[in-house]
């Protein structure tokens, strides 16, 4: 029909035409709201074809849900009341950052090497690797690695890779889509690749053999200088602890990064942002993870942990169990079960267990037995090896401090604590050599360690502290520490 001026009337406005395809498959997509990243999409179990496994089924799996019961911040949540977040929120955030990174970097990955799988395959691979990278953690996170797993030559990554291959492998193979795409008809996710990505490089030559170049480049997303893991935990831990609501400029760092044939590369324009990220992460270690009271709690926890674990995860002969040989029992071991169990012990009729329970009651009530008497912070730059300094031998430092104290104080209870943080992995170490920088004036990418601005950062720092049972002798300890550390201030070798 034509109106009075010879023009057809406009068609009625509609938001979506009847036959327009949807931009996303909202039928299979669910959202999780996150204070750091906003909405985190994932594939739900509703509406996907029979035989497929959704991301939700992995997220809801008991091994992943277990992360809801292990704190992200080890023991720092006892000091920073708002930092009660768990590893579950972190792994969801890391999974989301994997998608963000692949959206920015996939085309450069294809250009940098041959035979790269579809974007959907690569994205699903790194999403699931991020989701599962902490699945092997025990109670109190990295503390558990150092004070229990180490006796078996294990880390949470080794346990996690075993869980991925033995417990979750069949599910991983049947994941065929992520919120942004579907795998090709002949593509199938390989659990062995997921397990390999989450483990820190060891330097063994055979670790690299048999893996395609594109997979080796993707490893930098998990063990390089800036990863989907540490980018999330820096943002999350800073926000949740109250340290900073926007710790660093994530968008700018991702924008200026890409894959070259050398590896994950950042343009020179993005380098100052990366430096800020590294410095912010170091400041989190100084102010949150290595807070003086956090470390005092760790000292107290260390004293109780051995006998406690024999009760909770030992055999009838009083020997600790290897988690790899008892995965079902290990899955039930979380911070929640741990803390519930130890709080029952103070009512036990067993005198030894009752005493251990009373010590746990005191610690849980923040009756921390160790008090910081004095503290020094030392930065180590390139060419200054901490392992050749006096700080590599805390027992030696303690002997010197005791010998310098007045005679009547030489037998007081004290503990030496050296907290170390590495700003950047050395290019000579297995985890090094994965990050590069491109300065257009210089031509080809070069290793990040060779850049002058990067070299200006310390390679590491150590916070040296002396703890005693009370503050009565702080002045004497302060004087003794000055005498001992001052004597080696200009020395690069131990004696």
């Amino acid at each position: 029909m034509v109106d009075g001026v010879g023009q057809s009337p406009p068609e009625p406005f509609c938001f979506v035409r009847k036959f327009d395809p949807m931009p996303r498959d909202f039928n299979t997509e669910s959202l999780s709201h996150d204070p750091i990243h906003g909405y985190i999409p994932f594939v739900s179990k509703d509406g996907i074809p029979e035989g497929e496994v959704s991301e939700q089924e992995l997220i809801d799996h008991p091994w992943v849900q277990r992360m809801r019961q292990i704190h992200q911040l080890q023991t720092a949540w006892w000091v920073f009341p708002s930092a009660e977040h768990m590893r579950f929120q972190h792994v969801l955030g890391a999974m989301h950052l994997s998608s963000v990174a692949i959206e920015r970097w996939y085309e450069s990955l294809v250009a940098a090497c041959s035979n790269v799988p579809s974007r959907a395959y690569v994205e699903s691979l790194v999403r699931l690797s991020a989701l599962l990278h902490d699945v092997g953690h025990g109670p109190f996170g990295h503390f558990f690695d150092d004070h229990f797993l180490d006796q078996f030559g294990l880390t949470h990554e080794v346990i996690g890779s075993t869980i991925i291959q033995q417990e979750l492998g069949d599910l991983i193979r049947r994941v065929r889509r992520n919120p942004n795409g579907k795998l090709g008809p002949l593509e199938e996710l390989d659990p062995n690749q997921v397990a390999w990505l989450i483990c820190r490089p060891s330097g063994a030559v055979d670790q690299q053999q048999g893996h395609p170049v594109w997979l080796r480049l993707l490893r930098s997303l998990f063990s390089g200088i800036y990863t989907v893991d540490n980018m999330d935990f820096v943002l999350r831990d800073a926000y949740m602890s109250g340290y900073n609501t926007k710790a660093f400029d994530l968008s700018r760092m991702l924008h200026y990064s890409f894959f070259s044939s050398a590896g994950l590369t950042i343009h020179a324009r993005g380098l100052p942002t990366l430096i800020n990220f590294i410095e912010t992460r170091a400041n989190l270690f100084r102010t949150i993870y290595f807070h003086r009271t956090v470390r005092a709690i760790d000292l107290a926890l260390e004293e109780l942990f051995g006998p406690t674990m024999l009760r909770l995860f030992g055999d009838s002969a009083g020997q600790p169990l290897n988690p790899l040989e008892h995965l079902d029992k290990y899955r039930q071991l979380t911070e929640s079960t741990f803390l519930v169990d130890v709080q029952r012990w103070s009512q036990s009729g067993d005198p030894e267990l009752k005493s251990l329970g009373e010590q746990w009651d005191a610690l849980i009530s923040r009756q921390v037995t160790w008090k910081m008497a004095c503290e020094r912070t030392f930065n180590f730059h390139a060419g200054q090896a901490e392992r050749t300094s006096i700080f590599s031998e805390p027992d030696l430092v303690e002997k010197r401090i005791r010998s310098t104290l007045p005679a009547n104080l030489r037998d007081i209870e004290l503990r030496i604590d050296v907290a170390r943080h590495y700003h950047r992995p050395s290019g000579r170490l297995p985890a090094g050599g994965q990050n590069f920088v491109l300065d257009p004036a210089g031509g080809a990418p070069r290793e990040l360690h060779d850049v002058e601005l990067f070299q200006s950062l310390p390679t590491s720092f150590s916070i040296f502290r002396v703890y005693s049972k009370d503050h009565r002798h702080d002045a004497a300890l302060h004087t003794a520490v000055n005498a001992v550390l001052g004597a080696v201030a200009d020395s690069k070798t131990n004696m």
Side-chain angles (χ1 to χ4, degrees):
M1 178 178 181
V2 178
D3 64 14
V5 292
Q7 295 181 345
S8 300
E11 295 182 4
F13 177 79
C14 62
F15 287 100
V16 180
R17 293 181 184 271
K18 184 176 181 180
F19 299 108
D20 283 349
M22 290 194 302
R24 299 175 68 93
D25 187 357
F26 294 117
N27 294 323
T28 61
E29 181 186 75
S30 289
L31 299 175
S32 174
H33 193 268
D34 181 71
I36 307 303
H37 304 298
Y39 286 109
I40 295 177
F42 61 91
V43 176
S44 72
K45 59 186 177 182
D46 297 325
I48 65 170
E50 185 177 354
E52 280 193 31
V53 168
S54 67
E55 291 178 328
Q56 182 183 351
E57 289 171 81
L58 279 168
I59 292 170
D60 289 346
H61 193 280
W63 274 113
V64 179
Q65 288 296 307
R66 177 175 174 271
M67 297 294 98
R68 289 184 183 270
Q69 301 180 61
I70 297 177
H71 282 90
Q72 173 70 11
L73 290 192
Q74 188 167 302
T75 53
W77 54 275
W78 263 314
V79 179
F80 296 89
S82 63
E84 288 275 0
H85 55 300
M86 302 293 179
R87 290 197 175 271
F88 181 73
Q89 293 97 315
H90 163 60
V91 299
L92 286 183
M95 179 186 73
H96 176 71
L97 279 184
S98 296
S99 277
V100 176
I102 294 304
E103 179 184 11
R104 301 288 186 94
W105 303 342
Y106 177 74
E107 290 185 4
S108 65
L109 180 67
V110 172
C113 49
S114 59
N115 300 318
V116 180
S118 69
R119 173 182 157 174
Y121 182 97
V122 171
E123 185 170 347
S124 286
L125 179 68
V126 295
R127 279 174 67 86
L128 297 188
S129 300
L131 177 69
L132 301 174
H133 79 277
D134 275 349
V135 75
H137 263 302
F140 307 107
H142 293 278
F143 182 95
F144 189 83
D145 280 41
D146 296 334
H147 295 92
F148 187 78
L149 296 182
D150 187 63
Q151 64 189 308
F152 302 106
L154 300 175
T155 68
H156 72 276
E157 291 175 350
V158 174
I159 294 177
S161 66
T162 302
I163 293 168
I164 287 167
Q165 292 168 302
Q166 295 184 9
E167 304 276 304
L168 304 174
D170 289 341
L171 295 176
I172 290 170
R173 292 185 187 93
R174 291 159 56 200
V175 172
R176 301 210 45 80
R177 69 186 71 207
N178 60 67
N180 299 308
K182 300 177 184 178
L183 275 63
L186 301 180
E187 292 181 322
E188 180 182 273
L189 290 175
D190 185 351
N192 295 324
Q193 292 180 345
V194 176
W196 185 78
L197 282 177
I198 72 164
C199 286
R200 191 171 184 81
S202 67
V205 176
D206 59 354
Q207 266 215 341
Q208 301 288 342
Q209 293 178 349
H211 296 294
V213 174
W214 62 266
L215 186 66
R216 299 204 296 268
L217 295 187
L218 287 175
R219 202 177 207 183
S220 59
L221 271 67
F222 298 91
S223 56
I225 293 173
Y226 56 112
T227 68
V228 294
D229 176 16
N230 64 26
M231 287 190 292
D232 180 83
F233 80 62
V234 167
L235 289 171
R236 190 172 304 278
D237 295 353
Y239 180 89
M240 298 303 294
S241 65
Y243 174 80
N244 195 320
T245 56
K246 186 181 179 183
F248 69 97
D249 194 340
L250 171 67
S251 296
R252 186 177 179 88
M253 202 157 74
L254 293 175
H255 177 79
Y256 281 112
S257 297
F258 57 95
F259 283 107
S260 67
S261 58
L264 183 58
T265 303
I266 190 165
H267 191 279
R269 291 183 180 180
L271 190 56
T273 304
L274 175 57
I275 298 296
N276 174 252
F277 165 76
I278 294 170
E279 291 176 330
T280 300
R281 185 177 54 154
N283 285 333
L284 282 178
F285 275 88
R286 289 189 186 96
T287 60
I288 308 294
Y289 315 138
F290 292 165
H291 186 279
R292 65 185 184 280
T293 307
V294 172
R295 297 295 288 191
I297 291 172
D298 286 350
L299 289 176
L301 186 60
E302 183 179 337
E303 295 172 345
L304 301 177
F305 210 69
T308 298
M309 284 303 299
L310 288 180
R311 297 276 186 167
L312 295 178
F313 208 75
D315 61 19
S316 58
Q319 296 300 311
L321 297 175
N322 185 331
L324 287 183
E325 298 171 1
H326 302 273
L327 283 178
D328 287 343
K329 184 177 177 65
Y330 186 64
R331 196 180 75 189
Q332 305 302 320
L333 180 66
T334 68
E335 270 173 47
S336 298
T337 63
F338 187 108
L339 293 173
V340 167
D341 286 342
V342 300
Q343 288 180 84
R344 294 191 179 111
W345 291 352
S346 60
Q347 306 301 315
S348 172
D350 178 343
E352 181 181 337
L353 193 60
K354 179 181 177 66
S355 174
L356 193 56
E358 288 171 347
Q359 294 175 70
W360 272 108
D361 287 351
L363 179 58
I364 291 169
S365 300
R366 284 177 36 92
Q367 298 173 32
V368 184
T369 54
W370 293 105
K371 313 293 180 184
M372 190 189 77
C374 51
E375 171 186 301
R376 300 288 183 275
T377 299
F378 299 90
N379 291 309
F380 294 87
H381 290 267
Q384 296 176 308
E386 183 184 7
R387 65 180 179 275
T388 62
S389 76
I390 197 171
F391 304 104
S392 64
E393 297 189 37
D395 291 342
L396 174 61
V397 178
E398 181 178 339
K399 290 179 182 178
R400 289 193 178 187
I401 290 173
R402 288 188 183 279
S403 68
T404 309
L405 285 169
N408 64 322
L409 298 180
R410 289 176 184 172
D411 293 326
I412 64 171
E413 291 185 88
L414 61 85
R415 292 287 299 272
I416 304 299
D417 178 62
V418 182
R420 300 177 179 89
H421 170 64
Y422 298 93
H423 285 256
R424 47 192 176 97
S426 167
R428 299 185 300 274
L429 296 178
Q434 297 191 82
N435 296 90
F436 299 82
V437 63
L438 175 64
D439 185 343
R446 54 179 175 149
E447 194 171 337
L448 197 50
H449 298 278
D450 297 331
V451 178
E452 291 75 13
L453 182 60
F454 194 73
Q455 287 181 339
S456 68
L457 288 171
T459 55
S460 65
F461 70 77
S462 288
I463 302 178
F464 175 91
R465 294 186 177 109
V466 177
Y467 287 86
S468 60
K469 290 292 186 174
D470 53 50
H471 292 295
R472 290 181 298 159
H473 309 303
D474 285 5
L477 286 167
H478 181 86
T479 300
V481 167
N482 277 347
V484 171
L485 298 186
V488 296
D490 296 323
S491 176
K492 292 183 181 179
T493 60
N494 185 13
M495 295 297 290

